[in-house]
Amino acid sequence: MRIRRVQRAAVFAAGFAMAVGGTALASAATVQPARVRGGQPTGIKHVLLVSVDGMHQQDLTWYVNTFPDSTLATLDHEGLEYSGAMTPFPSDSFPGMVGQVTGGDPKVTGIYYDDTWNHDVFPAGTTNCSGPVPGAEVAYTEADDINLNSLDAGQGLRHLPGSILRMTGNPRRVINPANLPVNPKTCQPIYPNQYLKVNTIFNVAHDAGMVTAWSDKHPAYLALSGPQGNGVTDYFTPEINSQAIGYLAGQDWTSTNNATMQYDSYKVQAVLNWIDGMDHSGARHMGVPAIFGMNFQTVSTAEKLPASDGLIGGYKPGGKVPGPLLVRALNYINTEVGLMVAEIQKDGLASSTAIIISAKHGQSPTNPNTLSRVPDSPIISAINAAWAAIHPSNPNLVVFATDDDGMLLWLSDRSQPAANFVKRYLLDHPASGNNINDQPITVSSSGLRHVYAGSGAAAFVGVPNGDPRHPDIIGIAQHGVVYTGGTSKIAEHGGDDPQDRNVPILVVVPGQAQGSTISTPVETTQIAPTILTLLGLDPNQLQAVQIEHTQVLPGIGG
């Protein structure tokens, strides 16, 4: 382990005064050094977990260096920064967040993406489960909502968006069971939390009698309550892919970066209410949660959109320096995190609250000049056509695909010869697309640099061959390839590119001021046992920690 010590005392004093209007995170009089037992800290009663989706480790480094008086810089100089942190693969939001709260990779959690296929379920809406199980799509996205076009997911609140904080704290109430895959054994819909194979930090905290809370972008994040369904005391899950109120018809809250900031600000208010000991609406007292937090989407859309609100999106050529839209997004995150920190201080919680900032995923590519946009539909259609020519009785070999900047395919024929057929086709055929200048290009090998097929795909993710959930084909994209039609995206996530997976982990523990960077490789799955350890709970109560032997982040408590 290499630990780089940073001299940050003077920066802390000046920086935090600037960040929160002269209020320090905790004065020398209020901070009590956390007691250490067995090398681990105790005395922490609350952990605020913040996921800044899309944020890279390089973004945090750039921001801290460019704005040394910012809240993020102050937290960075006071905390432990893990510069070698990686998300699980696939680097999608769903497995990324699940990993942070379970300590497990997809092979243990069973969560590969938010929209997948399972060979051992019946399709949504099935009421008669007789006969062979056909397999079906498993979509834990906006598709589950009672009304996916409404910010409240179909609850029926009046005067939206102003009334959105009155949204139910139980996402199950706005999930339509007819939209869920069906369990062949019970012939009942499988709710998102029931699909998760292991428990979460919220379950462990609940079992210890603690209050918990979480805000995320779909009601489907009910999954974080774990198989028992009791993990999160209070949710706030406004639907991000609903019609953005006040914007053009057909635009959701990710269509413009202004809309995304507006959406994220609703969730920030929920967090502030939790810090005050209220429920997300601010109407009911429930006590300050032991574990609580939210995800931000603002950075993600600032990286994906070519332009928004009159500003150019993404990064400047070279991919190291954020462009104007992304700088604005990072400034927004800094301001909103500053509001949370100020509220923690105002309520006298600074000495008992740890803060962890990370990301579900990064985004690729950062350098716009390396972008290759490739529509995946022609590729899949061509595979099926080639297969049908020699297997006319089974014309649809690829039954489902999830392709962002990687390729995950599920096949109707799970035999190794069928998987090998797809692998050869992908690697032997070029594909057409366009670049950052909207000029036509051709990429080799369908835009892929490696393909894992059948048993190889199972081995790659670490599950037995024939597991009903894992993709039959896993395509690792060439750097810069994004599978999308048109020209509306300049970056994506979900793949195995280092820019998808190298995200920040910043841990700030009162009484354990570090100002250090640890470059030892770590995974965001280590956040889960770290949170429980900070709260004085046993991380081995997490099933994924037991299975994978997930370690507490190094340097915590020592």
Side-chain angles (χ1 to χ4, degrees):
M1 180 189 305
R2 296 177 304 224
I3 300 180
R4 174 173 59 84
R5 297 292 176 185
V6 178
Q7 300 298 320
R8 72 323 182 221
V11 175
F12 178 78
F16 217 84
M18 176 72 71
V20 295
T23 305
L25 177 63
S27 67
T30 59
V31 173
Q32 300 298 320
R35 297 189 304 274
V36 176
R37 182 184 298 117
Q40 299 297 345
T42 61
I44 296 299
K45 297 180 180 179
H46 316 284
V47 179
L48 170 61
L49 176 61
V50 176
S51 176
V52 185
D53 296 3
M55 192 175 190
H56 305 93
Q57 169 59 31
Q58 72 171 36
D59 299 329
L60 178 62
T61 300
W62 178 87
Y63 197 86
V64 166
N65 291 336
T66 305
F67 300 100
D69 293 335
S70 64
T71 298
L72 290 177
T74 300
L75 294 174
D76 184 74
H77 289 304
E78 188 66 5
L80 274 171
E81 179 184 338
Y82 298 87
S83 61
M86 302 288 280
T87 68
F89 171 85
S91 58
D92 177 53
S93 295
F94 218 45
M97 194 68 246
V98 165
Q100 289 187 35
V101 301
T102 64
D105 291 319
K107 64 179 177 286
V108 170
T109 65
I111 304 297
Y112 289 90
Y113 230 83
D114 60 2
D115 197 2
T116 61
W117 182 273
N118 187 325
H119 291 279
D120 194 28
V121 299
F122 279 91
T126 300
T127 57
N128 181 356
C129 296
S130 60
V133 182
E137 181 180 3
V138 178
Y140 292 130
T141 64
E142 68 274 13
D144 297 345
D145 300 351
I146 291 174
N147 181 356
L148 60 83
N149 290 313
S150 178
L151 183 61
D152 68 1
Q155 181 176 339
L157 294 174
R158 300 178 63 188
H159 310 301
L160 289 169
S163 62
I164 189 57
L165 284 166
R166 290 164 45 202
M167 186 176 179
T168 177
N170 181 1
R172 189 178 174 115
R173 295 175 181 169
V174 288
I175 291 176
N176 184 352
N179 297 337
L180 302 174
V182 174
N183 186 327
K185 296 179 180 178
T186 64
C187 210
Q188 294 297 311
I190 306 171
Y191 280 84
N193 64 292
Q194 297 169 333
Y195 198 69
L196 181 61
K197 289 184 173 183
V198 294
N199 64 349
T200 75
I201 56 175
F202 298 109
N203 295 126
V204 176
H206 171 272
D207 292 346
M210 297 175 173
V211 174
T212 60
W214 188 255
S215 182
D216 223 300
K217 60 183 181 177
H218 307 302
Y221 278 84
L222 174 66
L224 305 190
S225 270
Q228 303 92 324
N230 62 2
V232 178
T233 308
D234 185 41
Y235 273 106
F236 181 54
T237 57
E239 179 52 66
I240 194 169
N241 291 124
S242 62
Q243 170 64 48
I245 302 166
Y247 294 83
L248 296 176
Q251 289 190 333
D252 67 20
W253 298 94
T254 69
S255 297
T256 74
N257 198 240
N258 267 336
T260 311
M261 285 193 291
Q262 180 179 339
Y263 168 87
D264 277 347
S265 294
Y266 299 135
K267 296 193 292 185
V268 170
Q269 185 58 55
V271 172
L272 297 178
N273 289 340
W274 287 327
I275 294 170
D276 292 340
M278 309 300 286
D279 71 350
H280 70 273
S281 71
R284 179 178 62 87
H285 184 271
M286 69 176 197
V288 182
I291 305 171
F292 67 109
M294 63 168 284
N295 84 302
F296 282 98
Q297 288 292 115
T298 296
V299 166
S300 182
T301 60
E303 291 173 337
K304 284 185 178 184
L305 295 171
S308 182
D309 315 320
L311 299 172
I312 300 299
Y315 295 79
K316 295 182 178 180
K320 300 296 184 183
V321 178
L325 186 65
L326 184 51
V327 171
R328 187 185 71 168
L330 292 168
N331 283 333
Y332 167 80
I333 299 300
N334 181 73
T335 298
E336 300 304 294
V337 172
L339 292 176
M340 298 177 192
V341 172
E343 198 74 8
I344 288 170
Q345 171 64 20
K346 178 181 74 68
D347 290 347
L349 303 173
S351 63
S352 60
T353 303
I355 299 173
I356 300 178
I357 298 175
S358 188
K360 297 176 184 176
H361 58 79
Q363 218 105 249
S364 176
T366 60
N367 185 351
N369 292 328
T370 64
L371 174 66
S372 298
R373 287 178 287 221
V374 179
D376 61 335
S377 295
I379 298 173
I380 294 167
S381 295
I383 292 171
N384 282 337
W387 178 260
I390 52 178
H391 299 85
S393 63
N394 179 23
N396 293 318
L397 178 58
V398 179
V399 291
F400 193 77
T402 293
D403 309 326
D404 285 321
D405 68 348
M407 186 172 285
L408 307 180
L409 306 179
W410 285 262
L411 308 182
S412 59
D413 182 340
R414 303 198 80 192
S415 68
Q416 193 62 43
N420 290 341
F421 175 90
V422 176
K423 177 179 179 177
R424 286 193 301 270
Y425 188 95
L426 290 170
L427 293 177
D428 290 348
H429 289 79
S432 299
N434 62 78
N435 62 18
I436 189 64
N437 298 314
D438 302 341
Q439 298 299 310
I441 59 169
T442 300
V443 295
S444 62
S445 302
S446 306
L448 302 171
R449 59 182 173 86
H450 201 93
V451 176
Y452 299 92
S455 60
F460 182 72
V461 296
V463 297
N465 190 27
D467 178 283
R469 300 191 187 197
H470 80 80
D472 298 301
I473 302 293
I474 298 175
I476 307 300
Q478 300 167 17
H479 177 71
V481 169
V482 172
Y483 291 102
T484 182
T487 59
S488 62
K489 292 182 183 179
I490 57 173
E492 255 298 356
H493 58 273
D496 195 39
D497 194 286
Q499 291 178 0
D500 288 343
R501 300 185 62 196
N502 183 208
V503 299
I505 299 179
L506 175 62
V507 181
V508 184
V509 182
Q512 292 202 12
Q514 297 289 341
S516 301
T517 295
I518 296 180
S519 57
T520 304
V522 296
E523 281 206 6
T524 54
T525 54
Q526 293 177 249
I527 290 172
T530 299
I531 288 176
L532 295 185
T533 298
L534 288 170
L535 291 170
L537 300 173
D538 181 5
N540 285 307
Q541 292 185 63
L542 288 172
Q543 294 160 330
V545 166
Q546 295 179 34
I547 296 168
E548 295 194 26
H549 307 291
T550 314
Q551 299 297 304
V552 174
L553 288 166
I556 298 297

